[in-house]
């Protein structure tokens, strides 16, 4: 089937096998951390702070990570980030196993995870082109990678909900620790033909500046990154409030919370499957615009829903919009960036996506504390719709390019 065509590449297939297991463990840990913090503190602000700590390094370190990865062997960097991630997961599992419920310690370990991810995510994304034999299959590989990620987003919280209510948080963290073993095994079986990296004579600072100039001079690229930045800062962090929706608004428990996470994951995976069926990138901008509208409208209705099944439906639609927005921008960057700048361009995507979410999570936690979670999500939906309107105005007045339908892929 054409939807799985990139899996013909052995290296990418191994990558999918290993990551699919590890990502389920990662989402189990994320769900368990959120539930544990809210169970212990009952604080929406602390929920935001935990997310902030785990993602803020992406804002600060991603440009540096992109330059570092462009200068070093990407495969060795990836191996290192996976090993260190496993150690971080083991440390968190040990802390919870021995009932050391110390919020500062959890925050510190979340911060460590964020530092690792700043390098790991940029490295994995920039290596996609190296793992696919046929470069025409790159958009399909990116979409399948998103499908895998969002399948884990469904399975991880669903399994975590069961384990949290039966065995406890420590089992979720232990499973995540062991889930890194399949990744390391699959990586050891890969046979990659990476372009030999040459030691750059330029300083990291010079390469950081070079990457920024490259992104800023491309009006389409820079406007998409700015669009994602605003969305990540003011819209996507709606997920931070889902423990409150589950526990306080719908009088649920850990299982109810896992339903919200799984609903968003279901929408995301449906969206990712659609993206995987695309045979070209000519409509990526149109898809991104439509996705932003779907996300905004879904959040408006989610904020007003008083019936749990209806709220889960709009959560699913929000997942559709969120996934299509981020995936279309990611695919555009990877297929339109020149090879020498790919990791640095991707690092700005990571910074705009993962880097802004922690600040947004902190802001949405504070906002929900003052006006309530429903009005906070309502505000996020309105911002999403206003942002896409402003983007359309900017695009029609400033960006002078070929018609969207005529945009062609460029490959290394």
């Amino acid at each position: 089937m054409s939807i799985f065509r990139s899996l013909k590449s052995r290296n990418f297939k191994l990558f999918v096998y290993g990551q699919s297991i590890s990502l389920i463990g990662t989402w189990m840990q994320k769900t368990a951390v959120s539930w544990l913090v809210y169970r212990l503190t009952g604080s929406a602000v602390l929920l935001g702070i935990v997310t902030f700590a785990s993602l803020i390094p992406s804002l600060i370190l991603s440009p540096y990570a992109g330059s570092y990865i462009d200068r070093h062997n990407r495969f060795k960097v990836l191996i290192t980030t996976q090993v260190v991630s496993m150690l971080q997961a083991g440390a968190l599992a040990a802390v919870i196993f021995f009932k050391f419920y110390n919020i500062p310690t959890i925050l510190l370990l979340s911060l460590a995870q964020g530092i690792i991810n700043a390098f790991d995510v940029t490295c994995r994304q920039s290596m996609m082109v190296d793992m696919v034999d046929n470069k025409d299959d790159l958009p399909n590989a990116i979409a399948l990678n998103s499908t895998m990620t969002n399948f884990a987003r469904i399975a991880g919280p669903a399994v975590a909900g069961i384990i949290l209510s039966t065995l406890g948080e420590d089992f979720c963290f232990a499973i995540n620790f062991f889930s890194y073993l399949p990744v390391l095994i699959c990586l050891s079986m890969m046979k990659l033909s990476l372009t030999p990296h040459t030691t750059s004579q330029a300083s990291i600072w010079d390469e950081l500046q070079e990457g920024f100039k490259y992104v800023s001079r491309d009006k389409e690229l820079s406007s998409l990154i700015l669009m994602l930045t605003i969305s990540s800062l003011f819209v996507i962090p709606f997920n931070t409030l889902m423990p409150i929706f589950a526990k306080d608004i719908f009088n649920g428990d850990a299982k109810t919370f896992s339903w919200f996470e799984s609903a968003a994951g279901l929408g995301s995976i449906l969206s990712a499957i659609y993206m995987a069926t695309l045979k070209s990138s000519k409509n990526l901008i149109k898809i991104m615009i439509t996705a932003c509208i779907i996300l905004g409208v879904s959040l408006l209705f989610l904020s007003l829903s008083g019936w749990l099944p209806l709220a889960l439906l709009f959560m699913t639609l929000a997942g559709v919009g969120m996934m299509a927005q981020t995936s279309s921008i990611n695919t555009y960057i990877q297929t339109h960036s020149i090879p020498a700048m790919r990791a640095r361009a991707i690092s700005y995507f990571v910074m705009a996506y993962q880097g802004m979410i922690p600040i947004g999570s902190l802001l949405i936690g504070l906002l929900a504390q003052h006006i309530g979670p429903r009005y906070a999500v309502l505000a996020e939906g309105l911002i999403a719709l206003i942002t896409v309107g402003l983007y359309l105005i900017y695009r029609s007045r400033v960006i002078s390019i070929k018609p969207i339908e005529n945009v062609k892929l460029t490959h290394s």
Side-chain angles (χ1 to χ4, degrees):
M1 294 177 63
S2 61
I3 191 174
F4 298 115
R5 60 186 181 273
S6 57
L7 290 178
K8 294 177 182 178
S9 301
R10 179 178 180 274
N11 290 319
F12 182 67
K13 185 188 296 185
L14 287 170
F15 173 79
V16 169
Y17 287 165
Q19 286 292 325
S20 60
I21 297 173
S22 177
L23 287 172
I24 291 175
T26 298
W27 274 102
M28 288 179 63
Q29 176 172 294
K30 287 182 178 180
T31 304
V33 167
S34 294
W35 184 256
L36 175 65
V37 170
Y38 192 64
R39 179 176 68 81
L40 294 175
T41 67
S43 171
V45 174
L46 276 176
L47 271 179
I49 291 175
V50 168
T51 305
F52 180 87
S54 65
L55 295 177
I56 190 60
S58 293
L59 174 62
I60 301 171
L61 296 177
S62 287
Y64 173 83
S67 296
Y68 180 88
I69 291 164
D70 275 338
R71 296 162 65 105
H72 294 81
N73 186 303
R74 297 175 184 180
F75 185 70
K76 290 182 179 178
V77 173
L78 184 60
I79 292 287
T80 301
T81 59
Q82 293 299 305
V83 171
V84 178
S85 293
M86 185 177 184
L87 294 176
Q88 184 274 344
L92 185 56
V95 165
I96 304 304
F97 179 79
F98 291 107
K99 309 297 182 185
F100 187 65
Y101 294 140
N102 183 276
I103 298 300
T105 301
I106 294 174
L107 287 173
L108 184 62
L109 288 171
S110 296
L111 179 64
Q113 181 186 43
I115 294 172
I116 299 165
N117 285 344
F119 289 85
D120 181 65
V121 174
T122 302
C123 189
R124 280 190 284 122
Q125 292 288 342
S126 65
M127 278 188 61
M128 295 290 289
V129 68
D130 298 311
M131 290 187 285
V132 178
D133 298 332
N134 184 349
K135 304 313 174 191
D136 290 334
D137 291 340
L138 180 58
N140 177 261
I142 295 170
L144 285 184
N145 182 56
S146 298
T147 304
M148 171 184 67
T149 300
N150 287 287
F151 174 77
R153 186 175 183 175
I154 296 173
V159 174
I162 297 173
I163 293 178
L164 285 171
S165 60
T166 55
L167 301 175
E169 295 99 347
D170 49 350
F171 278 86
C172 289
F173 299 127
I175 290 172
N176 183 45
F177 170 75
F178 288 110
S179 72
Y180 283 98
L181 291 176
V183 179
L184 295 172
I185 292 172
C186 287
L187 288 176
S188 68
M189 296 171 63
M190 284 187 181
K191 296 178 181 179
L192 290 172
S193 299
L194 297 177
T195 303
H197 67 279
T198 57
T199 303
S200 175
Q201 299 301 315
S203 66
I204 284 285
W205 175 247
D206 289 335
E207 293 195 348
L208 284 172
Q209 290 181 308
E210 188 180 5
F212 178 78
K213 289 178 181 178
Y214 172 74
V215 171
S216 60
R217 285 172 181 169
D218 188 320
K219 292 183 178 180
E220 191 74 88
L221 201 61
S222 58
S223 65
L224 288 174
I225 290 176
L226 179 60
M227 181 77 174
L228 183 60
T229 299
I230 295 172
S231 183
S232 299
L233 186 60
F234 297 114
V235 182
I236 293 177
F238 74 90
N239 274 326
T240 303
L241 301 181
M242 290 309 103
I244 304 175
F245 268 65
K247 187 174 184 293
D248 296 341
I249 294 179
F250 292 101
N251 301 313
D253 53 15
K255 283 187 179 180
T256 312
F257 172 43
S258 72
W259 292 343
F260 275 94
E261 290 287 354
S262 296
L266 175 61
S268 296
I269 199 171
L270 292 174
S271 186
I273 291 173
Y274 167 75
M275 295 294 293
T277 63
L278 298 178
K279 296 181 179 180
S280 72
S281 65
K282 67 180 183 179
N283 289 319
L284 287 175
I285 306 299
K286 286 183 176 179
I287 292 171
M288 189 277 296
I289 292 169
T290 303
C292 291
I293 296 172
I294 292 174
L295 177 58
V297 172
S298 299
L299 292 182
L300 292 181
F301 283 106
L302 174 62
S303 69
L304 300 172
S305 299
W307 185 39
L308 180 59
L310 196 60
L312 293 175
L313 171 63
F314 290 122
M315 189 71 178
T316 302
L317 292 176
V320 170
M322 181 174 62
M323 169 61 211
Q325 179 195 41
T326 56
S327 182
S328 57
I329 295 175
N330 184 13
T331 304
Y332 184 93
I333 292 173
Q334 293 212 36
T335 54
H336 288 75
S337 300
I338 62 174
M341 291 289 178
R342 184 175 291 118
R344 274 168 279 186
I346 291 171
S347 72
Y348 280 98
F349 166 83
V350 175
M351 182 174 67
Y353 181 38
Q354 291 193 349
M356 288 298 171
I357 289 179
I359 299 176
S361 298
L362 196 59
L363 292 175
I364 197 64
L366 292 169
L367 185 63
Q369 196 88 340
H370 286 86
I371 68 173
R374 284 191 182 274
Y375 286 114
V377 173
L378 179 67
E380 289 184 309
L382 290 173
I383 291 172
L385 296 178
I386 292 171
T387 302
V388 73
L390 293 175
Y391 173 81
L392 288 171
I393 294 172
Y394 171 82
R395 197 167 193 280
S396 65
R397 294 183 179 179
V398 178
I399 301 178
S400 178
I401 58 171
K402 297 178 182 179
I404 296 173
E405 290 76 9
N406 296 328
V407 174
K408 296 181 180 179
L409 279 173
T410 58
H411 297 293
S412 57

